[in-house]
Amino acid sequence: MSGLLICALRPEHHEQVIGKVDEWWGGRPMMAMLPKLFFTHFRDTSFAAEDDERCVGFLAGFSSQTNPAEAYVHFIGVDPAYRQRNVGRMLYEQFWKAVERRGARVVLGVTSPMNRASLAFHRKLGFAVVPSSHQKDGVYVHENYDGPGEDRVLLRREL
Ligand SMILES: CC(C)(COP(=O)(O)OP(=O)(O)OC[C@H]1O[C@@H](n2cnc3c(N)ncnc32)[C@H](O)[C@@H]1OP(=O)(O)O)[C@@H](O)C(=O)NCCC(=O)NCCS
């Protein structure tokens, strides 16, 4: 991956990755949660990792319109062949700079309680788990957060 480049996310990146995200997420059905709008309307705060013009990782995130002191990361994914080489960290570093310039003081996100790799990765990057009244396997879980049966772990990192 000699020519790895972090750049702004573009609609063409969506075409490159949308057919792969379920595989990147270990077979979970993620595609419906990643419409092209995230690659079109949040380009100032969303980033791609390219190797030879091929998208091998992306972060889709934005500053909150409601509270400019908050930013939110919707999705981050890295091609399995490029993992554990700091691609995810580089994407987050660009995101933090971009949202900080827009006034963010904190980055928020959610992850599935079953996604222990995501939890470990986010903890390494300085995210804390937001406490709740319920724990699953030692982790605070917000039950039904995204709808019936859709529990989430809430993540938070101060900038
Ligand atoms: C989570 C994910 C984005 C990490 O990307 P990555 O490029 O491999 O991560 P990095 O190489 O930048 O790792 C940064 C740190 O996190 C750690 N880390 C990364 N993946 C990890 C894992 N599965 N388990 C434990 N630690 C992990 C790295 O060891 C590194 O720690 P270090 O700084 O002490 O060396 C990637 O595994 C992925 O795309 N997973 C599937 C999609 C997903 O679950 N996304 C998150 C929810 S939206």
Side-chain angles (χ1 to χ4, degrees):
M1 59 175 213
S2 52
L4 199 79
L5 171 80
I6 306 291
C7 60
L9 203 54
R10 302 190 301 275
E12 308 90 86
H13 293 132
H14 186 266
E15 287 145 31
Q16 292 183 22
V17 301
I18 194 61
K20 299 179 187 166
V21 289
D22 292 358
E23 180 200 325
W24 287 13
W25 262 255
R28 290 172 57 207
M30 305 303 287
M31 198 160 68
M33 285 191 274
L34 193 66
K36 194 180 269 185
L37 70 90
F38 287 104
F39 290 62
T40 307
H41 296 294
F42 300 94
R43 294 173 58 191
D44 293 347
T45 56
S46 297
F47 298 92
E50 283 186 348
D51 190 10
D52 278 340
E53 299 183 11
R54 191 168 59 86
C55 183
V56 297
F58 66 93
L59 184 158
F62 49 86
S63 297
S64 169
Q65 292 193 12
T66 305
N67 181 357
E70 293 181 346
Y72 186 84
V73 59
H74 176 57
F75 260 45
I76 178 168
V78 174
D79 183 327
Y82 287 77
R83 288 188 189 162
Q84 298 286 351
R85 300 194 216 170
N86 279 324
V87 176
R89 182 184 288 279
M90 288 190 286
L91 288 165
Y92 257 119
E93 283 170 352
Q94 290 303 313
F95 178 65
W96 290 329
K97 278 190 223 159
V99 295
E100 231 175 341
R101 276 198 297 271
R102 292 170 161 258
R105 295 287 164 265
V106 63
V107 171
L108 307 172
V110 305
T111 198
S112 162
M114 73 178 76
N115 195 343
R116 295 296 157 141
S118 168
L119 200 51
F121 165 73
H122 281 96
R123 280 182 160 144
K124 271 283 168 74
L125 266 62
F127 282 83
V129 169
V130 178
S132 71
S133 55
H134 182 74
Q135 288 194 34
K136 205 181 262 178
D137 301 327
V139 179
Y140 287 115
V141 168
H142 293 250
E143 290 181 289
N144 304 318
Y145 181 82
D146 269 336
E150 299 294 331
D151 300 347
R152 297 288 181 264
V153 175
L154 272 56
L155 300 164
R156 176 184 180 93
R157 186 187 189 279
E158 310 297 325
L159 291 174

